């Protein structure tokens, strides 16, 4: 899969080698089932027509740049690197990553079509039903159709993907994670919610109580799920291991930690993980984090957590 960064206005170098594409356009945070529907439609149409299957996404999120509810988008369900991997798994040939800045934010819907889609040789656009584009979100799917028709660019609009009668959306996934419902989030995404990071030196306390943990420093500003203990699967070097994860501020040992830490104990695993990349896949929420009155009480609870996690994971293979 080829990745091309675009900046507005497009340069000759960015347009060099452009070839006919069918393109799915959107931010696609989470690359959930609804997004997958849009992208698969573009891929299938491209295969039928002989064009390249492309995705156009934007980085950073427009609301970060424009300041509208910016705090909501400081974190991501799928940071750009993860998003690109999802696109590749869906069969995408080419990804345009548009640098979303104030210059691009000022692009009108007609300029978007005439100055970007046409020079890139887009032959067909696939968007979701709620797609908005152009300065101040002035364009929608209907406007896209009107503007693309004179350019002989087809437009396909994909209806919402419903689960339990409700639209699948990134906002809904965030809400489920905040409520400690990773199973529901996984149904919406089509896979367990995952956080990737590097194992760094921690306090080493877990090893002294019989539960060595990997202190995972997230590689990007992921959405942090509800603070607490989870049954998870940890991916290391392409292998999956059952594990228990604590996301929290360790109140038994600390009064105030500036931000939650991710500490995973991998069952039946004795190798060093320092410096390795680990992907934490959330399977089930076990309990909220709390402060214990003694180390013995903490150890007893960790034993119970580990037993519950093993039971859940053994039936969720």
């Amino acid at each position: 899969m080829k990745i091309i960064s675009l900046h507005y206005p497009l340069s000759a170098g960015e347009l060099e080698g452009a070839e006919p594409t069918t393109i799915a356009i959107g931010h696609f945070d989470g690359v959930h089932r609804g997004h997958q529907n849009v992208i698969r439609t573009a891929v299938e149409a491209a295969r039928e027509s002989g064009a390249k299957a492309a995705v156009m996404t934007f980085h950073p999120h427009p609301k970060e740049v424009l300041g509208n509810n910016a705090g909501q988008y400081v974190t991501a369900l799928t940071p750009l690197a993860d998003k690109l991997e999802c696109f590749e798994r869906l069969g995408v040939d080419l990804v345009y990553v548009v640098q979303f800045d104030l210059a691009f934010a000022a692009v009108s819907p007609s300029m978007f079509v005439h100055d970007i889609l046409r020079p890139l040789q887009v032959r067909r656009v696939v968007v979701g039903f709620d797609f908005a584009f152009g300065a101040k979100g002035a364009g929608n799917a209907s406007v896209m159709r009107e503007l693309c028709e004179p350019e002989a660019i087809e437009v396909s609009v994909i209806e919402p993907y419903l689960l339990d009668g409700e639209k699948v959306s990134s906002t809904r996934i965030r809400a489920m994670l905040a409520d400690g419902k990773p199973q529901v989030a996984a149904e919406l995404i089509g896979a367990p919610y995952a956080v990737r990071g590097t194992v760094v030196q921690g306090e080493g306390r877990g090893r002294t109580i019989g539960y060595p943990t990997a202190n995972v420093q997230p590689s990007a500003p992921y959405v942090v799920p509800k603070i607490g203990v989870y049954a998870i699967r940890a991916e290391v070097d392409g292998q999956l291991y059952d594990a228990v994860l604590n996301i929290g501020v360790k109140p038994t040992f600390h009064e105030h930690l500036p931000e939650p830490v991710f500490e995973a104990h991998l069952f039946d695993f004795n190798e060093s993980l320092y410096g390795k990349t680990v992907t934490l896949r959330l399977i089930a929420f076990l309990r909220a984090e709390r402060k214990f009155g003694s180390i013995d009480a903490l150890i007893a609870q960790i034993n119970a957590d580990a037993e519950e996690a093993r039971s859940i994971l053994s039936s969720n293979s």
Side-chain angles (χ1 to χ4, degrees):
M1 186 179 75
K2 188 175 182 180
I3 303 165
I4 298 176
S5 295
L6 298 179
H7 301 76
Y8 186 82
L10 303 186
S11 68
E14 289 170 324
L15 294 172
E16 187 177 353
E19 53 188 313
T21 59
T22 291
I23 191 166
I25 306 176
H27 185 64
F28 300 125
D29 186 32
V31 197
H32 56 59
R33 290 182 186 271
H35 296 151
Q36 293 166 31
N37 239 7
V38 173
I39 295 166
R40 285 197 180 103
T41 298
V43 171
E44 290 168 5
R47 298 292 181 262
E48 291 173 3
S49 67
K52 292 290 186 182
V55 166
M56 179 179 288
T57 191
F58 309 96
H59 184 75
H61 194 286
K63 291 188 178 180
E64 281 190 50
V65 176
L66 300 176
N68 301 327
N69 300 318
Q72 180 182 357
Y73 292 95
V74 170
T75 58
L77 294 167
T78 45
L80 183 59
D82 295 1
K83 194 186 302 185
L84 294 174
E85 289 187 4
C86 292
F87 295 159
E88 188 164 25
R89 286 196 295 272
L90 289 166
V92 173
D93 302 311
L94 171 64
V95 179
Y96 292 114
V97 180
V98 178
Q99 179 66 35
F100 196 97
D101 52 20
L102 291 178
F104 184 76
V107 171
S108 69
S110 61
M111 292 164 64
F112 183 81
V113 173
H114 299 153
D115 298 351
I116 298 175
L117 298 186
R118 182 173 62 176
L120 290 174
Q121 296 193 42
V122 172
R123 297 292 181 261
R124 184 172 180 177
V125 171
V126 184
V127 295
F129 73 102
D130 56 355
F131 176 70
F133 71 107
K136 298 182 180 179
N140 56 25
S142 296
V143 172
M144 177 68 82
R145 274 202 174 107
E146 292 172 9
L147 294 172
C148 285
E149 186 175 359
E151 306 295 341
I153 300 173
E154 294 183 59
V155 176
S156 298
V157 181
I158 307 304
E159 293 303 310
Y161 189 100
L162 302 180
L163 188 65
D164 298 327
E166 290 185 55
K167 179 186 74 171
V168 172
S169 69
S170 301
T171 299
R172 189 177 170 194
I173 294 167
R174 287 170 179 262
M176 292 302 101
L177 292 172
D179 286 347
K181 298 177 180 177
Q183 294 101 320
V184 180
E187 290 178 9
L188 299 171
I189 297 169
Y193 177 64
V195 173
R196 179 185 299 173
T198 303
V199 178
V200 298
Q201 186 73 45
E203 297 171 349
R205 189 178 289 111
R207 190 169 298 279
T208 67
I209 61 175
Y211 282 93
T213 59
N215 188 342
V216 179
Q217 178 65 48
S219 59
Y222 287 87
V223 169
V224 177
K226 181 178 180 177
I227 298 301
V229 180
Y230 292 80
I232 70 162
R233 286 199 169 88
E235 182 179 345
V236 184
D237 295 332
Q239 297 293 317
L240 289 176
Y241 299 90
D242 289 353
V244 64
L245 170 72
N246 186 79
I247 303 174
V249 294
K250 302 188 283 189
T252 303
F253 303 104
H254 297 276
E255 286 296 325
H256 299 288
L257 280 183
E259 58 186 25
V261 295
F262 291 71
E263 291 185 309
H265 171 70
L266 281 60
F267 301 142
D268 310 315
F269 186 91
N270 298 308
E271 300 172 30
S272 174
L273 287 171
Y274 289 124
K276 286 187 174 290
T277 296
V278 176
T279 301
L280 310 171
R281 305 184 189 280
L282 275 60
I283 305 301
F285 181 80
L286 303 183
R287 64 172 176 85
E289 185 180 49
R290 65 179 185 269
K291 184 175 183 176
F292 291 89
S294 69
I295 300 298
D296 287 343
L298 171 62
I299 292 173
Q301 183 61 61
I302 293 174
N303 286 333
D305 293 339
E307 184 176 345
E308 183 179 2
R310 284 182 185 273
S311 175
I312 290 171
L313 293 167
S314 67
S315 61
N316 191 295
S317 55

